[in-house]
Amino acid sequence: MDKIKLNKMDEGVFVIVTEKISMDELISFIAENDVENPDVEKISYAFEHIGEEVKIAEYYGEISLKSHFEITVSTNKMEAYLIVGYSQGGKIPDYSDIIDELQNMGIIKGIKEKAIKDLIEIENFNSKIKIAEGKFPIDGKNSYTKYLKGLKKNKTKRPTIDIDGKADFKNINFLETVLKGEVLAKKISATKGVDGYDIFGNVLKAKDGKDIKLKKGKNTIITEDGMQIIANVDGMPIIRDNKIEVENVLMVEEVGVETGNIDFNGSVVVRGDVKSEYIIKATGEIQVLGNVENAILQSNGEIVIKGNCFGKEDSLISAEGDIFLNFAENIEIKTKKDLIINEGLINCKVYAEGKVVAITKSGSIIGGETRGEAGIEVLNAGSKTGAQTELKILGKSKVVERIKEKLKDIDWEIKVIEKNIISLQYIKKNVPQLYGDEKEELFMKLIKNKMGLLNDKKVLEIRYNVYKEKMEREEFPKIIVRNRCYFGVKITLKERNFEVNEDIERIKFFLKDDRVEHEFV
């Protein structure tokens, strides 16, 4: 039986002491039961009158203690977080308490009602819960050109390398032609931006995508709505200077007696061979599916030869763009860009303003002279028999060389003009009767030409110095032999030579302190 009984009812709070106890026990009991404002005299009376029910206080209902909570906002005003602190006897806040506090803080957008209700339901204390989240603006996408017919802006015809390290020249898809009226590209329209907002309802403006205009190249037309580029002739589509063009394409089975020499304003595709002592000149690309025998090929674009090339002293393959070869022997090769080789070269004379690369399974350079101003990388150099093979990087930019030649030409022209000026001045002074209006007009013209040439010279000298300084700042290119460099190979870097006297494997040659050094790779 309880020593003390406590009853809470609308009429008040009543206590009954059922047996003798101490006053401290009675006071502690009343305190533990959260009796609000008890009457001390009534407590004393109940202590003295055991068994009597005594009203000791008014009843105000149960006291409900709610735990403290805090709402924090991220610095970018895009998120709000709720933490409910735990306290003994404390209850989780009501949903309305939290919503009221959000409103008091001015948070009106992106309120996560479910997250708040879930927190209340499971009484999640001391956890940081996201209860409001804004929406970031989404900028529109810019308009762009979608290329069709396999066109790509930076498409390359470089062969892929298979698992065995062999270049796959067979699957270079370069025979790509179109018919007049075919769609080459279309414009994908720009999209509108989608505005966002922060949790306080502030609008975050998005940017609309930018529009572009399709660019019309040679032998193409743009539809009236400006949305498509159409081929205006049959031919081969290419991208040049960010414009789609359709080049005229001459397609022949082979070059020989039936065709004679070819000089074509466009691209030339030869399905078979190029016979001995024939010439192909093209303003576009030259592509040969078969072999080339002792011929001359000159292109303002790229040259791709899937077969083998055999030549003599006057054989030449020359291109403004990249050259892709399977195999070549006894041929002079020139390119203003890169030379990519599959099987290899034998006794060829090569000059590439870009790189010379032959790193496939059998990529070898044997004999001859190979110069690649942007670097040389081969699998094998030389041969077991010690064939004299020269690999060179002279570091002489063609641009710089051409400027030097142009400066020489200008100096010569100025000297000629100055001689003529001196002659006219002599006639004017000593034989004035022979110095008429025509000679005066010529004299003024020569002065004007000299001034123009001096101005041109000044501009070229500035360009020359800029390019020269740029070359001196850049790291000098390297020669890399990935497999074996045989004895008999001569390495030249910026007119510094190195003779390979024994077979070396996996080696890199580079310039250091004006000497040719080498290290393993």
Side-chain angles (χ1 to χ4, degrees):
M1 185 175 177
D2 294 334
K3 295 179 181 180
I4 307 169
K5 291 182 179 180
L6 186 74
N7 294 319
K8 294 180 179 180
M9 57 188 72
D10 292 341
E11 291 78 8
V13 180
F14 296 85
V15 67
I16 302 172
V17 179
T18 61
E19 58 183 85
K20 190 173 182 178
I21 58 171
S22 68
M23 177 60 81
D24 286 340
E25 285 182 279
L26 179 57
I27 291 171
S28 297
F29 176 81
I30 293 170
E32 288 172 1
N33 282 273
D34 297 324
V35 176
E36 189 174 359
N37 296 323
D39 188 327
V40 177
E41 292 183 0
K42 298 288 185 178
I43 293 173
S44 178
Y45 181 85
F47 174 75
E48 294 173 353
H49 295 78
I50 295 173
E52 183 178 339
E53 187 177 61
V54 179
K55 181 180 177 181
I56 62 171
E58 299 295 332
Y59 179 60
Y60 301 103
E62 291 293 333
I63 297 173
S64 178
L65 297 176
K66 292 183 179 178
S67 296
H68 171 74
F69 67 88
E70 181 181 17
I71 296 175
T72 58
V73 176
S74 61
T75 54
N76 61 1
K77 301 180 181 179
M78 295 298 288
E79 296 168 332
Y81 293 90
L82 170 67
I83 299 178
V84 179
Y86 177 78
S87 59
Q88 188 173 4
K91 295 184 178 180
I92 203 81
D94 293 333
Y95 175 80
S96 59
D97 296 332
I98 297 170
I99 295 298
D100 289 344
E101 181 61 20
L102 287 171
Q103 291 178 347
N104 291 336
M105 294 174 69
I107 299 172
I108 58 174
K109 295 285 285 184
I111 295 173
K112 296 180 174 291
E113 296 180 356
K114 186 176 185 303
I116 297 172
K117 291 175 180 177
D118 288 346
L119 176 142
I120 293 170
E121 183 178 347
I122 63 174
E123 297 189 352
N124 189 352
F125 291 98
N126 297 327
S127 294
K128 189 175 182 179
I129 306 297
K130 186 189 295 184
I131 60 169
E133 183 175 21
K135 180 182 177 184
F136 285 97
I138 301 173
D139 290 341
K141 293 182 179 179
N142 293 338
S143 175
Y144 65 94
T145 304
K146 182 177 181 180
Y147 297 98
L148 308 176
K149 298 299 296 180
L151 281 164
K152 290 183 180 177
K153 189 171 182 181
N154 297 309
K155 187 176 180 181
T156 176
K157 295 186 179 68
R158 295 175 186 270
T160 56
I161 308 299
D162 65 21
I163 194 170
D164 296 320
K166 188 172 182 180
D168 183 8
F169 274 71
K170 293 181 179 179
N171 290 314
I172 298 178
N173 184 26
F174 57 76
L175 284 175
E176 187 152 32
T177 58
V178 295
L179 300 176
K180 180 178 180 179
E182 282 196 64
V183 179
L184 303 174
K186 63 181 181 179
K187 182 172 78 171
I188 305 301
S189 298
T191 60
K192 293 282 187 182
V194 179
D195 292 342
Y197 52 81
D198 64 22
I199 58 177
F200 296 99
N202 299 310
V203 176
L204 306 177
K205 296 294 291 182
K207 297 177 182 178
D208 292 337
K210 296 179 180 179
D211 192 25
I212 63 166
K213 289 185 178 180
L214 293 178
K215 296 180 180 179
K216 185 173 91 68
K218 184 177 69 175
N219 295 325
T220 66
I221 57 174
I222 297 176
T223 54
E224 290 185 4
D225 61 4
M227 297 299 292
Q228 293 183 329
I229 299 176
I230 309 293
N232 202 30
V233 296
D234 297 347
M236 182 169 62
I238 62 169
I239 296 176
R240 182 180 289 132
D241 297 330
N242 292 323
K243 297 178 183 178
I244 299 180
E245 300 181 358
V246 179
E247 282 200 339
N248 295 327
V249 179
L250 174 64
M251 302 187 72
V252 296
E253 291 303 316
E254 69 174 24
V255 176
V257 176
E258 292 186 2
T259 62
N261 293 332
I262 293 175
D263 189 347
F264 188 68
N265 183 22
S267 296
V268 176
V269 177
V270 183
R271 296 185 182 276
D273 299 336
V274 179
K275 298 299 184 180
S276 179
E277 299 184 358
Y278 282 90
I279 299 171
I280 301 177
K281 294 182 179 179
T283 59
E285 299 180 2
I286 297 175
Q287 302 167 358
V288 181
L289 277 67
N291 298 322
V292 176
E293 182 181 350
N294 187 27
I296 294 175
L297 277 64
Q298 294 178 306
S299 166
N300 291 349
E302 295 180 345
I303 293 179
V304 179
I305 302 173
K306 293 179 71 174
N308 299 321
C309 304
F310 302 95
K312 295 180 181 178
E313 290 182 0
D314 58 349
S315 299
L316 174 66
I317 298 173
S318 175
E320 298 285 319
D322 295 327
I323 296 177
F324 304 90
L325 299 178
N326 182 49
F327 170 82
E329 183 175 2
N330 295 324
I331 293 179
E332 183 177 2
I333 302 168
K334 296 180 179 179
T335 171
K336 289 188 176 180
K337 292 192 177 179
D338 295 342
L339 170 62
I340 311 298
I341 308 149
N342 184 26
E343 296 292 337
L345 303 176
I346 296 179
N347 295 328
C348 291
K349 184 177 181 180
V350 173
Y351 174 73
E353 291 187 27
K355 291 182 178 181
V356 176
V357 181
I359 55 172
T360 59
K361 187 175 181 180
S362 54
S364 300
I365 296 179
I366 301 172
E369 177 186 302
T370 299
R371 180 179 167 191
E373 286 302 292
I376 299 173
E377 189 171 0
V378 300
L379 200 63
N380 299 297
S383 68
K384 294 178 181 178
T385 59
Q388 186 174 347
T389 305
E390 295 185 55
L391 304 181
K392 295 183 175 183
I393 304 175
L394 298 184
K396 295 180 179 179
S397 165
K398 270 292 183 182
V399 175
V400 173
E401 295 299 305
R402 283 194 286 267
I403 293 174
K404 284 177 68 176
E405 290 299 318
K406 184 64 177 174
L407 286 169
K408 287 181 182 178
D409 292 341
I410 288 176
D411 285 337
W412 181 83
E413 289 182 53
I414 290 173
K415 285 181 181 178
V416 171
I417 288 173
E418 286 175 341
K419 285 182 180 180
N420 289 326
I421 289 173
I422 291 171
S423 296
L424 288 171
Q425 287 175 329
Y426 177 84
I427 293 170
K428 186 176 182 180
K429 181 179 180 181
N430 297 295
V431 196
Q433 64 273 21
L434 297 179
Y435 191 87
D437 292 340
E438 288 185 4
K439 284 186 170 53
E440 178 65 18
E441 186 179 340
L442 177 60
F443 178 81
M444 297 305 295
K445 186 177 180 180
L446 288 171
I447 294 294
K448 184 178 179 181
N449 288 346
K450 181 182 176 181
M451 295 297 292
L453 287 170
L454 288 171
N455 186 62
D456 291 344
K457 181 179 179 180
K458 185 177 181 181
V459 172
L460 284 172
E461 284 174 341
I462 292 171
R463 287 184 62 199
Y464 176 81
N465 291 328
V466 168
Y467 279 110
K468 192 174 180 182
E469 288 176 10
K470 182 182 177 184
M471 287 175 58
E472 290 172 353
R473 288 196 305 269
E474 291 176 348
E475 184 181 12
F476 199 82
K478 302 174 180 63
I479 295 175
I480 301 173
V481 182
R482 292 289 178 189
N483 186 37
R484 179 164 296 178
C485 185
Y486 292 95
F487 75 94
V489 172
K490 181 180 178 181
I491 302 295
T492 301
L493 297 175
K494 204 174 184 180
E495 299 180 350
R496 297 293 181 266
N497 300 320
F498 180 86
E499 301 278 353
V500 179
N501 297 319
E502 59 180 353
D503 295 356
I504 314 174
E505 293 186 350
R506 296 182 295 278
I507 198 75
K508 173 172 66 177
F509 300 93
F510 56 95
L511 202 63
K512 184 178 180 181
D513 299 329
D514 208 30
R515 296 197 313 270
V516 177
E517 301 283 352
H518 62 279
E519 64 184 20
F520 294 109
V521 293

